[in-house]
Amino acid sequence: MAEREVQSNTITYSATMSSCEKGSRWESALQCIAAMEQRKLESSMVTFSALISACEKCREWEHVMEVFSMMANREVASDTIVFSAAVSACAKGGEWKKALQLISEMTQKQVELNTITFNAAISACEKGELWERALHFFCVMAQHEVERSTITFSAAINACVEPGKWSVALKLLTGMVHCEVELDTITLSAAITACKEDGAWK
């Protein structure tokens, strides 16, 4: 009876966490975790994943890193989804160094990197003005046959804008057409900006 009650409570909290994630209510999600701790209910990777996603959507990278520490202390393994959300949160929060540290940790732990992870990593490089590192991730995606989306190309092109690497930006734009990746206004705007920065538009 007691075991059923514990299982029921865990499922209830997990469902609540999922709701908080979808509604981007990170504060409520944190309260759920605290309540589970008080009732000594076990938190699974799914539970933590929902919490990290809720924080990521609200750009609360500091809380994301706190949750990562909680998972490590409880020996709860992190998967691709959890890492990707954490990398994205750090990138959106301007913490590109932490984002790249997480990428390194994924590699060390042999956690698979997917399109979302690479997109977040390239965006982090863009914010850190590391255009060569951004292109490295871009090339690694091709080597491992990871799908490159409009977001991937856009982030890579943006990473080339500040240093004025217009020729690289144009090659990426050509690559989009060759790979039949959908062009959007943001991507075209970034490519045009890269050309204008170096005077290549004349």
Side-chain angles (χ1 to χ4, degrees):
M1 182 71 178
E3 186 177 344
R4 285 184 181 178
E5 185 179 349
V6 169
Q7 185 178 9
S8 176
N9 286 332
T10 302
I11 293 172
T12 301
Y13 276 112
S14 295
T16 303
M17 289 288 292
S18 179
S19 176
C20 290
E21 175 197 352
K22 292 174 182 176
S24 301
R25 301 195 306 273
W26 64 272
E27 290 175 315
S28 298
L30 285 173
Q31 289 172 1
C32 277
I33 283 288
M36 290 182 76
E37 290 285 306
Q38 289 178 355
R39 302 190 68 174
K40 297 183 179 179
L41 296 174
E42 185 178 350
S43 300
S44 65
M45 183 172 64
V46 175
T47 310
F48 282 115
S49 178
L51 173 55
I52 286 178
S53 293
C55 292
E56 181 263 331
K57 288 175 182 175
C58 297
R59 301 172 184 255
E60 294 291 331
W61 68 269
E62 290 176 315
H63 289 300
V64 166
M65 299 310 295
E66 286 177 11
V67 176
F68 244 82
S69 297
M70 289 170 64
M71 292 180 73
N73 292 336
R74 290 160 181 72
E75 298 183 347
V76 178
S78 300
D79 64 358
T80 302
I81 296 173
V82 172
F83 266 108
S84 296
V87 172
S88 180
C90 290
K92 289 177 181 177
E95 297 293 323
W96 59 270
K97 287 184 179 179
K98 292 186 184 297
L100 296 181
Q101 285 172 4
L102 288 170
I103 292 292
S104 296
E105 189 177 339
M106 288 183 75
T107 304
Q108 290 170 5
K109 293 182 176 179
Q110 297 184 329
V111 178
E112 183 183 1
L113 280 75
N114 60 14
T115 302
I116 296 172
T117 320
F118 277 112
N119 287 350
I122 293 172
S123 293
C125 291
E126 174 200 339
K127 290 177 173 59
E129 298 182 7
L130 304 171
W131 69 273
E132 289 176 310
R133 191 86 179 265
L135 291 181
H136 165 72
F137 285 126
F138 185 86
C139 292
V140 170
M141 291 180 76
Q143 291 169 7
H144 292 276
E145 298 183 347
V146 178
E147 183 182 357
R148 291 176 293 182
S149 64
T150 301
I151 296 173
T152 310
F153 278 94
S154 181
I157 289 172
N158 273 314
C160 297
V161 171
E162 269 314 306
K165 300 298 176 180
W166 61 269
S167 59
V168 180
L170 287 178
K171 284 180 181 179
L172 288 168
L173 191 63
T174 303
M176 286 188 76
V177 176
H178 178 73
C179 295
E180 297 183 349
V181 177
E182 183 181 356
L183 291 165
D184 62 358
T185 306
I186 297 173
T187 311
L188 288 170
S189 177
I192 291 170
T193 301
C195 292
K196 288 175 69 176
E197 286 291 323
D198 203 81
W201 59 277
K202 295 180 181 179

